[in-house]
Amino acid sequence: MTHRILAVDDDLHIREVIRVALRKAEMTVTEARDGREALARFAADRPDLVILDIGMPELDGLEVCRQIRKSSDVPILFLTARDDEIDRILGLEIGGDDYVTKPFSPRELIARVNVILRRVIAREMDKGPPTALAQGALSIDPTQHVAAFAGTPLRLTAIEFGILKAFLGRPTAVFSREQIMSAAYQLNIQVSDRTIDSHIRNIRAKLAAVNCDSVIETIHGVGFKLGRCEKQA
């Protein structure tokens, strides 16, 4: 299977590095020079993964990610020129799957792309039971990869869906950050505790937007557990 990758960066040299690396890895590459072109290319080509520079003029990578997330949970790998944790956390909070800091080696880039793609393929090939999982008004269907709260569909990233699936699979368990990472990322990818906290905050915000009373509770000094998942009175 040849994967289709959309590479977005306003730096021609960076795009050339990405293009050569991906083609050596036998992937098909489409390029965009800015955020507006990226959205047009994405709509036309529907790639399997987007490599997205954060620091572009006019329409930056974070806004492009927000626009894509309105209609798709395609994996997004951010590129950032700044070693700034706020940028990285914000990128992951709005739906990014991973990030690479410039300058990067083509080998590291391909490794991260492959990890994300393998995770997506593994999820799609999952032959687990089709039974939907539920707690209170929250329900997810792992087979169809859909989630809803009180009948309202939820737009979750792949990682957010994986976290909720883990919680709903063991609704009384308390999960450490390491356990959440293992459940959501599946493969041996290491992320910081702050990254896990960002995903938890994002899930809470999305459920709060549909009037969820309590989706994930913090157990101080231990980790997190599933809440009541009930509508606010």
Side-chain angles (χ1 to χ4, degrees):
M1 178 181 177
T2 300
H3 295 291
R4 295 169 293 114
I5 312 297
L6 172 59
V8 187
D9 199 297
D10 59 335
D11 187 320
L12 174 60
H13 174 68
I14 295 294
R15 294 202 310 273
E16 289 177 344
V17 170
I18 295 172
R19 182 196 319 128
V20 171
L22 291 174
R23 286 180 177 173
K24 284 184 178 179
E26 300 182 343
M27 300 181 193
T28 300
V29 187
T30 302
E31 299 176 38
R33 296 164 294 181
D34 55 49
R36 299 190 188 283
E37 185 178 4
L39 292 174
R41 291 283 189 185
F42 179 80
D45 300 335
R46 291 293 169 179
D48 299 310
L49 181 143
V50 180
I51 299 174
L52 183 58
D53 181 35
I54 290 180
M56 295 183 294
E58 297 185 21
L59 197 65
D60 66 16
L62 298 179
E63 182 57 32
V64 172
C65 180
R66 291 188 185 96
Q67 295 299 320
I68 288 176
R69 283 289 173 259
K70 291 179 179 180
S71 62
S72 173
D73 64 353
V74 65
I76 294 177
L77 174 65
F78 281 115
L79 302 178
T80 176
R82 291 176 290 177
D83 189 16
D84 187 333
E85 190 157 7
I86 294 176
D87 267 0
R88 294 183 240 159
I89 296 301
L90 178 58
L92 293 171
E93 280 183 340
I94 67 171
D97 292 86
D98 200 357
Y99 66 89
V100 174
T101 302
K102 299 178 183 177
F104 56 85
S105 73
R107 188 172 183 176
E108 177 191 8
L109 181 73
I110 295 302
R112 289 182 180 270
V113 166
N114 281 329
V115 164
I116 296 171
L117 291 173
R118 285 198 300 268
R119 185 168 65 238
V120 171
I121 292 171
R123 185 187 73 222
E124 292 176 349
M125 296 181 65
D126 184 7
K127 301 300 181 180
T131 304
L133 302 172
Q135 169 88 336
L138 175 65
S139 64
I140 69 171
D141 186 333
T143 302
Q144 298 186 50
H145 199 73
V146 294
F149 180 77
T152 301
L154 299 172
R155 193 172 297 281
L156 304 172
T157 68
I159 293 174
E160 292 163 4
F161 189 92
I163 290 173
L164 278 183
K165 178 181 175 183
F167 279 120
L168 286 165
R170 298 174 61 194
T172 62
V174 177
F175 288 78
S176 67
R177 288 174 175 81
E178 183 177 351
Q179 288 172 320
I180 293 172
M181 180 181 68
S182 297
Y185 285 86
Q186 298 180 9
L187 299 173
N188 294 325
I189 180 172
Q190 296 297 314
V191 297
S192 70
D193 287 351
R194 289 190 63 179
T195 298
I196 295 299
D197 290 351
S198 293
H199 290 308
I200 296 295
R201 286 197 300 271
N202 208 24
I203 291 170
R204 285 170 170 165
K206 289 182 179 181
L207 269 295
V210 292
N211 208 30
C212 178
D213 180 56
S214 171
V215 59
I216 297 175
E217 298 177 2
T218 299
I219 309 300
H220 294 289
V222 182
F224 303 92
K225 71 181 294 291
L226 191 65
R228 299 183 307 277
C229 302
E230 298 173 353
K231 291 197 73 171
Q232 294 179 355

